[in-house]
């Protein structure tokens, strides 16, 4: 490989510039030690003045800088502890010193990526007939310059599997292979491409990579990593690809769909792109700082995804290698600084959390059903109101009875946990004092005289000795009564129903009658007030005897939530639950039955109105159930702007270190935003897709290219800057970028152009000489060959087994995964394996938990999605083989493939050949088939002699043999590799 400083015979050496060539190199490799306030050896190599101490201008071999970089004269080689500079880099430094070591710098043209692309002419080539479209002219020109020839076209079966994988992420079916082989029309292949681009699986496949960019996940991230509902955004991405939304609209919808005039529901959902950021709801987190980090993540992600730039490097200081300044970074942050925030919770009694908006996204059927139920609910409430107006006499009796409800409190022996004491107060109430030990059970035992008892009243009373006046002993003033029990003369006293005057959402009176230790009655929202719970007995108690009442507060999720002060009394009224009356209403009883507030409350408890309430409650329950099924989506929404959007530069990128105020603006070195654009996210989005922007079109066509060739024209697809890889075919990249814009940002059109090129159709078979010359296929002298992505490996396995569900969209699913993967100390969440077809959905629908990603995906290099990821770096590890051989989901697929092979007509060889074709897309050769037949024979013998092993697989010896043969087919390198 030639050095960058090439000296041609009879020509002057290329001038090396300190500012553009040498200084960035020294910063990258030496600044970690030789810079700052106390540089190692008191030598700051980022300072031209300090650097002059180790340089002899014109004499590189006598310069200490070169001597130490080479490690000559017995000195350790620098940079110490790190990889040495390459020969090319040291050669460049030596050339600079030889040229006089000037540190003045010269004006150089801007980096190629920061210049708006201009459509280049098609290069002249010798083998014109080989080229099928303009792409091939650029590729062939480079090959001819390098003295290489393109490879032959790939066999039709290979080409069909390649393009099917690249456009849908799935294998072609045997019938699709047969149809293509039988189609002799000259445009047969182009017809296949059109068919694949029209399949819904195209959108699923394309969305997989985009979700990595958008850092999509089904959980918040960070330590608790709580679940979130975000799958509507994932489905929007799939649908956008399938309907071939132009990339400029695709970009604008995601960055600023909410700011468009009259945005549709889909455009609002699209803004979930910037809501996929991790959300920190940990205890003690400064929510303002957490939101600051969210905003900066949005800036970095926008720069990476759409501009192919490492903008985030300028958070703390000016970018060391690219023209982005720290001011540029925070001017971009200003576009995202006006997000609507909803603080939830009170700092006075707990913690405040900052939430951003979410919206309901009902289907058309759900929206229609909800409208119908709401109308029916209005009618039911009206019927109830009309009937209640005729109940004045009955209401009068109820008011009089309600006034008499406060009866003599029960008194007797009170039992509380050891270490706590029960103090009886003058009003007959009981206050629990002493150490709050956590979970508790209180018991009161009292003698009941002869009489008629229909219910038991429990009053939870405020008290100044309790936090926030109680009535609970928790620091929030709350409690959770998890169970209420009563017995009479040692026998359980059945309770028909329970009623309370108020309950915290998610809790209920009825929950105090079940055995769930974490459900019950709680009062958050009305702390510091008296509250009633009434328990109606199944049948009146008429005789005297011993009554025992047990109050259990055993929540493990919320310990120490016990009652601080309470009072128990007996009731003798009919339907006693109608007297669980809020304190505010009870004070109004003296105003009489005609007080509107009293009448309104009586409507909710009147025994006469039970049928109408049941009918109304049925409608409400149906509406609630429907409402619970309506998905939500995380969306971005701005507050009304009162002027230009502004924020502060943060010194060293620290939240608390505010610097100068800046106004929203695009980076200074790139083409400016048009004055007609609004200075908000919508303006930013339109600037990003402005044809004058030199980066966006290049970045996206490079990403499309990488998706099918496994490597972009710019290999570092996340970094088009000076430290990124230079394009292997710069003119081709510029031609593709200008063509993309000319085709109105049509992604399907560009993909069709790429996959119908002769370049793409080449065989991937390469000679040893070509592999040695170009191991990464940068010159494109052969077709692409690389291991498939994690999700595709799972998908084609299930497809080969005949069990893959092709259902598109919907909530995330939970396929088989090893036990224990989701163990979490913060919640009782567990992986509940999906049933039915959800167990066999495509990998894109698998629930994505950031702290515990799906294990087999992680083994095959899937990301955690904690941040934007442009490229998944492919690895080859023994763990991948173990996953493929033992993963339960792969064994599911193996069972399915075994059944398919066994159901095929013909001998063993024919059946195995069918399985081979299902996994690889081609028929096996004679030698390959014979090896598979021999394997099956060996497996038959093994399981016939060890039927217990077959039973472990829940199979007969014969089906076990076929299953393991299928497992081998799924594990072939050719199965999990494109080609």
């Amino acid at each position: 490989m030639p050095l960058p400083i090439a000296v041609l015979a009879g020509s002057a050496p290329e001038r090396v510039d300190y500012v553009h060539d040498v200084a960035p190199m020294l910063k990258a490799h030496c600044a970690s030690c030789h810079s700052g306030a106390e540089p190692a050896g008191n030598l700051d190599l980022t300072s031209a003045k300090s650097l002059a101490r180790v340089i002899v201008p014109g004499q590189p071999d006598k310069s200490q800088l070169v001597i130490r970089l080479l490690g000559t004269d017995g000195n350790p080689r620098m940079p110490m502890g790190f990889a040495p500079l390459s020969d090319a880099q040291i050669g460049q430094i030596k050339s600079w010193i030889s040229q006089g070591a000037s540190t003045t710098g010269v004006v150089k043209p801007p980096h190629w990526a920061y210049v708006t692309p201009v459509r280049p002419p098609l290069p002249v080539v010798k083998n014109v007939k080989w080229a099928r479209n303009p792409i091939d002219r650029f590729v062939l020109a480079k090959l001819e310059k390098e003295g290489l020839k393109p490879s032959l076209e790939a066999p039709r079966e290979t080409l069909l599997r390649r393009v099917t994988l690249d456009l849908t992420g799935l294998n072609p079916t045997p019938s699709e292979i047969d149809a293509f082989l039988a189609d002799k029309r000259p445009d047969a292949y182009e017809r296949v491409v059109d068919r694949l681009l029209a399949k819904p699986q195209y959108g699923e496949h394309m969305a997989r990579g985009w979700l990595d960019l958008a850092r999509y996940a089904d959980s918040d991230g960070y330590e608790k990593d709580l679940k979130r509902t975000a799958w509507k955004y994932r489905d929007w991405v799939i649908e956008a690809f399938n309907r071939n939304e132009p990339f400029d609209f695709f970009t604008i919808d995601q960055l600023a769909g909410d700011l468009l005039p009259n945005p549709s529901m889909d455009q609002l959902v699209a803004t979930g792109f910037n809501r996929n950021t991790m959300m920190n709801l940990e205890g003690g987190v400064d929510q303002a700082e957490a939101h600051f980090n969210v905003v900066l993540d949005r800036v970095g992600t926008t720069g990476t995804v759409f501009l192919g730039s490492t903008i985030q490097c300028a958070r703390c200081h000016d970018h060391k290698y690219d023209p982005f300044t720290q001011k540029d970074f925070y001017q971009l942050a200003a576009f995202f600084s006006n997000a609507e925030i909803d603080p939830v919770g009170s700092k006075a009694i707990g913690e405040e959390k900052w939430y951003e908006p979410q919206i309901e996204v009902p289907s058309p059927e759900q929206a229609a059903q909800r409208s119908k139920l709401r109308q029916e609910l209005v009618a039911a409430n009206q019927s109830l109101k009309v009937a209640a107006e005729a109940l004045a006499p009955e209401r009068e009796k109820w008011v009089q009875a309600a006034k008499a409800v406060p009866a003599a409190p029960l008194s007797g022996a009170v039992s509380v946990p050891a270490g706590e004491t029960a103090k009886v107060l003058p009003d007959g109430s009981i206050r629990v004092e002493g150490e709050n030990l956590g979970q508790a059970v209180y018991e009161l035992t009292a003698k009941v005289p002869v009489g008629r008892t229909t219910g038991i009243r429990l009053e939870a009373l405020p008290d100044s000795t309790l936090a926030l006046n109680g009535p609970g002993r928790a620091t929030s003033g709350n409690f959770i009564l998890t169970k209420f029990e009563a017995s009479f003369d040692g026998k359980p006293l059945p309770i028909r129903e329970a009623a309370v005057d108020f309950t915290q959402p998610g809790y209920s009176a009825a929950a105090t009658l079940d055995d769930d230790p974490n459900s019950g009655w709680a009062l958050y929202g009305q702390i510091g007030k008296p509250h009633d719970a009434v328990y109606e007995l199944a049948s009146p108690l008429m005789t005297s005897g011993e009554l025992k009442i047990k109050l259990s507060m055993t929540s493990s999720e919320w310990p120490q939530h016990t009652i601080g002060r309470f009072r128990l009394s007996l009731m003798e009224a009919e339907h006693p639950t109608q007297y669980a009356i809020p304190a505010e209403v009870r004070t109004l009883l003296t105003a009489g039955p005609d007080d509107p507030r009293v009448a309104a409350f009586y409507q909710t408890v009147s025994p006469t109105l039970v049928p109408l309430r049941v009918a109304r409650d049925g409608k409400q329950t149906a509406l609630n159930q429907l409402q619970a099924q309506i998905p939500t989506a995380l969306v971005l929404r701005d507050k009304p702007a009162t002027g230009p959007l502004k924020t502060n530069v943060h010194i060293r990128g620290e939240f608390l270190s505010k610097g100068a105020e800046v106004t929203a603006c695009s980076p200074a070195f790139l083409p400016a935003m048009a004055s007609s654009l609004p200075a908000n996210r919508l303006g930013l989005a339109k600037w990003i897709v402005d044809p004058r922007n030199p980066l966006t079109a290049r970045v996206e066509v490079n990403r499309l290219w990488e998706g099918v060739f496994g490597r972009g024209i710019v290999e570092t697809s996340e970094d088009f800057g000076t430290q990124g890889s230079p394009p292997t075919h710069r003119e081709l990249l510029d031609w593709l970028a200008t063509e993309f814009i000319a085709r109105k940002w049509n992604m399907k059109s560009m993909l069709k152009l790429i996959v119908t090129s002769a370049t793409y159709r080449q065989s991937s078979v390469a000679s040893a000489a070509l592999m040695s010359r170009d191991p990464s296929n940068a010159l494109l002298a052969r077709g692409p060959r690389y291991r498939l992505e994690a999700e595709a490996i799972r998908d084609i396995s299930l497809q080969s087994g005949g069990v893959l569900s092709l259902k598109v969209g919907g909530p995330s699913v939970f396929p088989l995964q090893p036990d224990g993967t989701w163990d979490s100390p913060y919640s009782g969440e567990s992986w509940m394996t999906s049933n039915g077809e959800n167990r066999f959905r495509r990998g894109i629908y698998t629930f994505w938990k950031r702290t515990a990603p799906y294990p087999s995906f992680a083994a095959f290099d899937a990301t955690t999605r904690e941040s934007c990821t442009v490229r998944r770096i492919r690895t080859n590890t023994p763990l991948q083989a173990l996953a493929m051989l033992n993963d339960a989901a792969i064994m599911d697929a193996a069972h399915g493939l075994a059944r398919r092979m066994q159901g095929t007509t013909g001998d063993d060889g024919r059946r195995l050949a069918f399985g081979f074709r299902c996994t690889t897309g081609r028929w096996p050769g004679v030698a390959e088939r014979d090896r598979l037949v021999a394997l099956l024979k060996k497996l038959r013998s093994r399981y016939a002699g060890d039927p217990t092993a077959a039973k472990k697989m829940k199979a007969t010896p014969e089906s076990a043999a076929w299953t393991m043969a299928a497992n081998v087919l799924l594990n072939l390198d050719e199965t999990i590799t494109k080609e």
Side-chain angles (χ1 to χ4, degrees):
M1 171 132 349
L3 297 179
I5 306 302
V7 181
L8 302 178
S11 65
E14 182 179 338
R15 189 74 184 171
V16 181
D17 179 60
Y18 170 74
V19 173
H20 292 86
D21 302 321
V22 177
M25 197 186 310
L26 296 178
K27 282 184 179 180
H29 295 276
C30 309
S32 59
C33 298
H34 293 284
S35 67
E38 297 181 359
N42 198 31
L43 176 64
D44 184 354
L45 292 181
T46 65
S47 163
K49 182 178 180 181
S50 181
L51 178 62
R53 293 168 41 206
V54 290
I55 289 173
V56 180
Q59 301 183 59
D61 294 337
K62 292 184 179 181
S63 297
Q64 279 297 311
L65 176 64
V66 174
I67 292 170
R68 298 306 297 271
L69 289 175
L70 291 172
T72 56
D73 294 347
N75 294 297
R77 189 169 186 179
M78 295 293 173
M80 188 177 292
F82 297 93
L85 273 67
S86 68
D87 292 343
Q89 291 171 316
I90 295 174
Q92 200 167 24
I93 291 173
K94 291 175 72 174
S95 295
W96 170 67
I97 296 173
S98 296
Q99 294 165 8
S102 171
T103 58
T104 303
V106 295
V107 177
K108 282 196 170 185
H111 179 58
W112 66 268
Y114 303 137
V115 179
T116 302
V118 176
R119 190 178 186 87
L122 298 183
V124 176
V125 295
K126 298 175 184 178
N127 187 10
V128 178
K129 291 183 178 180
W130 180 77
R132 290 179 176 270
N133 66 36
I135 289 173
D136 303 321
R137 294 277 290 271
F138 291 99
V139 172
L140 185 58
K142 184 110 177 183
L143 291 177
E144 290 178 346
K145 183 179 179 180
E146 295 288 334
L148 295 173
K149 293 181 179 180
S151 298
L152 297 174
E153 184 165 302
R156 286 171 69 86
E157 287 171 308
T158 300
L159 185 58
L160 179 63
R161 183 172 191 255
R162 178 192 296 174
V163 74
T164 305
L165 284 168
D166 282 338
L167 297 184
T168 68
L170 297 174
N171 275 336
T173 64
S175 61
E176 289 171 338
I177 299 171
D178 290 338
F180 179 55
L181 294 178
D183 191 346
K184 303 304 181 184
R185 290 173 291 185
D187 64 343
Y189 176 70
E190 286 74 10
R191 290 172 180 268
V192 165
V193 172
D194 289 337
R195 174 177 59 80
L196 294 173
L197 289 171
K199 296 183 74 168
Q201 288 72 46
Y202 161 79
E204 293 174 320
H205 175 63
M206 294 296 291
R208 197 281 308 156
W210 192 263
L211 296 184
D212 277 357
L213 296 170
R215 65 266 191 256
Y216 167 84
D218 296 295
S219 67
D220 287 337
Y222 294 106
E223 199 171 19
K224 290 183 179 178
D225 201 20
L226 301 173
K227 291 181 181 179
R228 60 166 55 164
T229 302
W231 58 268
K232 272 292 182 180
Y233 170 77
R234 179 245 290 145
D235 284 6
W236 177 85
V237 174
I238 294 171
E239 292 163 5
F241 277 113
N242 277 332
R243 67 174 177 266
N244 198 26
E245 182 169 11
F247 186 75
D248 54 347
F249 294 152
F250 184 69
T251 299
I252 292 169
D253 284 351
Q254 293 182 85
L255 292 180
D258 58 307
L259 298 177
L260 291 166
N262 302 313
S264 66
M265 184 74 74
D266 277 350
Q267 288 169 328
L268 295 176
V269 171
T271 65
F273 174 82
N274 269 317
R275 287 299 313 283
N276 288 324
T277 311
M278 293 202 299
M279 186 175 180
N280 195 343
L281 296 175
E282 303 297 330
V285 168
D286 184 321
Q287 291 295 291
E289 182 175 12
H291 184 69
F292 170 73
N293 288 324
V294 165
V295 169
L296 301 198
D297 172 78
R298 290 169 182 168
V299 177
T301 298
T302 300
T304 299
V305 172
F306 299 104
L307 304 178
S309 300
T310 54
I311 291 176
Q312 64 272 21
C313 293
R315 167 179 175 166
C316 305
H317 48 70
D318 291 350
H319 201 294
K320 288 187 175 182
Y321 309 111
D322 293 318
F324 292 102
T325 65
Q326 191 180 22
K327 181 180 179 182
D328 287 332
F329 180 85
Y330 285 98
Q331 285 177 330
L332 288 172
F335 286 109
F336 298 94
S337 65
N338 195 38
E340 186 177 294
I341 301 295
D342 180 20
V344 175
S346 170
K347 294 179 181 178
I349 61 172
E351 285 193 303
E352 180 182 85
K353 301 297 183 185
W354 286 13
Y355 293 88
E356 291 184 81
Q358 65 178 21
I359 60 171
E360 294 178 342
V361 192
S363 67
E365 295 77 15
Q366 288 173 326
Q369 179 67 8
R370 181 169 62 179
S371 177
K372 179 173 180 290
L373 285 171
R374 283 174 172 172
Q375 292 174 7
E376 292 174 349
L377 184 60
V378 169
N381 276 318
Q382 182 62 27
S383 298
L384 187 60
K385 181 180 179 181
V386 170
E389 290 173 353
L391 296 179
E394 180 181 298
R395 190 165 62 247
E396 170 66 33
K397 292 180 181 179
W398 174 81
V399 167
Q400 297 307 317
K403 289 179 181 179
V405 162
L410 279 172
S411 62
V414 181
S415 169
V416 295
E420 300 181 2
T421 58
K423 182 176 181 179
V424 179
L425 301 180
D427 63 355
S429 65
I430 298 165
R431 185 171 65 210
V432 180
E433 300 175 340
E435 184 180 359
N436 187 351
L437 300 175
Q439 297 174 329
V441 175
Y442 305 161
E443 290 187 356
L444 182 145
T445 304
K447 293 292 185 180
V448 177
V450 174
R452 188 174 187 275
T453 299
T454 60
I456 301 171
R457 181 188 185 201
L458 166 64
E459 297 173 80
L461 302 171
D463 193 283
S464 60
T465 66
L466 300 172
L468 303 178
N469 288 326
R473 301 192 72 198
T475 56
S476 63
N478 203 359
F479 67 82
I480 302 175
L481 177 64
T482 56
K483 191 158 190 177
F484 180 95
E485 299 172 273
S487 62
F488 188 71
D489 285 344
K491 296 180 180 179
L493 196 58
I495 295 172
R496 174 178 289 124
E497 64 174 324
V500 294
D501 69 318
F502 169 81
T503 188
Q504 179 178 330
Y507 294 82
S508 68
T512 64
L513 301 177
D514 62 28
D515 295 321
D516 185 344
N518 286 306
S519 68
W521 178 37
L523 298 177
Y524 181 74
Q526 288 199 13
I527 299 300
K529 300 178 180 180
H531 292 284
D532 273 7
V534 175
Y535 294 88
E536 182 175 343
L537 304 183
S539 58
L541 189 63
M542 307 296 291
T543 60
S544 63
E546 184 180 80
L547 175 66
K548 180 178 288 188
I549 299 172
K550 181 190 291 187
L551 307 179
S552 298
M553 292 143 287
T554 56
S555 172
S556 57
E557 186 177 359
W558 297 100
Q560 297 190 320
H561 278 57
T562 56
I563 300 177
R565 182 180 174 188
F566 64 96
R567 182 166 55 209
L568 290 162
S569 55
L570 302 182
M571 301 180 70
E572 60 182 25
E574 291 293 328
H575 307 297
T577 51
Q578 66 181 303
Y579 300 107
I581 304 172
E584 294 85 350
V585 176
R586 191 171 291 280
T587 61
L588 297 170
L589 295 179
T590 55
D594 296 325
D595 185 288
R597 292 164 292 181
V598 173
F601 179 78
Y602 181 65
Q603 179 180 314
T604 67
V605 297
S606 166
T608 303
L609 297 177
V610 167
L612 290 174
R613 283 204 304 271
V614 168
R616 187 273 314 274
D617 292 347
K619 298 295 182 184
Q620 185 67 63
T621 298
L623 180 60
N624 292 344
Q625 290 173 344
L626 175 64
Q627 195 67 37
Q629 295 169 7
I630 293 175
T632 58
L634 305 175
V635 299
L636 203 59
R637 184 185 298 143
D638 273 6
K639 296 175 288 189
T642 57
L645 299 180
K646 297 181 179 181
T647 191
N648 291 89
V649 172
H650 285 255
I651 301 168
R652 297 183 303 278
E654 294 180 0
F655 170 64
L656 295 176
S657 299
K658 287 187 177 182
E661 187 177 70
V662 293
T663 303
C665 186
S666 58
F669 72 95
L670 292 172
M673 288 177 61
S675 59
S676 59
L677 293 177
N680 56 18
R681 281 185 287 109
L682 181 58
L684 174 66
K686 290 185 176 181
W687 170 81
I688 284 175
V689 294
D690 187 321
R692 296 179 304 142
N693 191 315
L695 290 164
T696 310
R698 282 183 175 127
V699 168
E700 181 57 20
V701 294
N702 188 70
R703 187 178 294 131
L704 295 175
W705 188 275
E706 180 183 20
V708 296
F709 283 97
R711 170 195 172 112
I713 297 172
V714 174
E715 184 177 15
T716 53
S717 47
E718 72 283 0
D719 185 5
F720 275 53
T722 60
Q723 298 302 295
S725 300
T728 56
H729 299 74
R730 179 172 162 184
E731 292 78 13
L732 172 58
L733 181 63
D734 283 358
W735 186 89
L736 288 169
T738 55
E739 183 71 10
F740 192 28
I741 295 170
R743 295 189 183 209
K744 301 186 183 302
W745 304 88
N746 188 318
M747 288 186 277
K748 284 188 177 182
S749 177
M750 291 303 294
L751 275 172
K752 181 176 181 180
L753 180 70
I754 293 170
V755 301
T756 55
S757 67
T759 303
Y760 178 81
R761 299 192 200 193
Q762 295 176 96
S763 169
S764 64
V765 176
S767 65
L770 180 57
M771 287 297 294
S772 176
R773 175 81 177 275
D774 185 17
S776 61
N777 197 26
L779 297 174
L780 301 167
R782 61 184 185 274
R785 183 187 189 279
Y786 51 86
R787 200 208 67 229
L788 299 173
E789 293 86 359
E791 294 91 333
I793 290 172
R794 168 188 165 79
D795 292 349
I796 65 171
S797 297
L798 295 176
Q799 181 193 23
S800 298
V803 295
L804 179 68
S805 167
L806 294 181
K807 176 183 175 184
V808 177
S812 297
V813 296
F814 301 83
L816 285 169
Q817 77 166 7
D819 292 337
T821 305
W822 258 29
D823 287 351
S824 170
Y826 295 104
S827 70
E829 289 182 351
S830 60
W831 184 273
M832 303 297 290
T833 303
S834 298
N835 297 315
E837 72 170 325
N838 282 341
R839 177 169 165 171
F840 305 111
R841 299 287 305 280
R842 293 195 70 175
I844 192 172
Y845 301 112
T846 298
F847 189 96
W848 207 284
K849 188 176 178 70
R850 285 174 160 129
T851 57
Y854 194 59
S856 66
F857 290 174
F860 282 98
D861 308 315
T863 74
T864 62
R865 300 235 175 105
E866 293 173 285
S867 59
C868 170
T869 304
V870 178
R871 288 187 296 156
R872 293 187 187 180
I873 305 302
R874 290 181 176 85
T875 63
N876 290 289
T877 69
L879 184 60
Q880 293 167 351
L882 290 171
M884 287 299 294
L885 287 167
N886 299 288
D887 185 78
I890 301 300
M891 289 306 300
D892 264 353
H895 282 295
L897 180 56
R899 289 191 294 270
R900 292 186 74 188
M901 290 190 291
Q902 287 179 282
T904 302
T905 58
D907 59 12
D908 288 346
R910 176 70 182 180
R911 291 173 175 176
L912 289 164
F914 171 76
F916 187 94
R917 197 184 196 205
C918 288
T919 56
T920 68
R922 67 177 178 88
W923 291 111
V926 174
E928 291 169 321
R929 185 190 61 194
D930 290 346
R931 289 187 66 185
L932 288 171
V933 171
L935 171 66
L936 180 63
K937 182 178 180 181
K938 184 177 180 180
L939 289 168
R940 276 190 176 126
S941 176
R942 173 189 171 187
Y943 288 111
D946 187 7
T948 302
K951 287 182 180 179
K952 289 181 180 179
M953 296 170 58
K954 298 180 180 179
T956 64
E958 176 68 7
S959 60
W962 279 100
T963 297
M964 293 310 297
N967 185 257
V968 169
L969 292 174
L970 295 174
N971 275 270
L972 293 175
D973 179 68
E974 190 172 345
T975 300
I976 65 172
T977 303
K978 190 174 75 170
E979 295 303 284

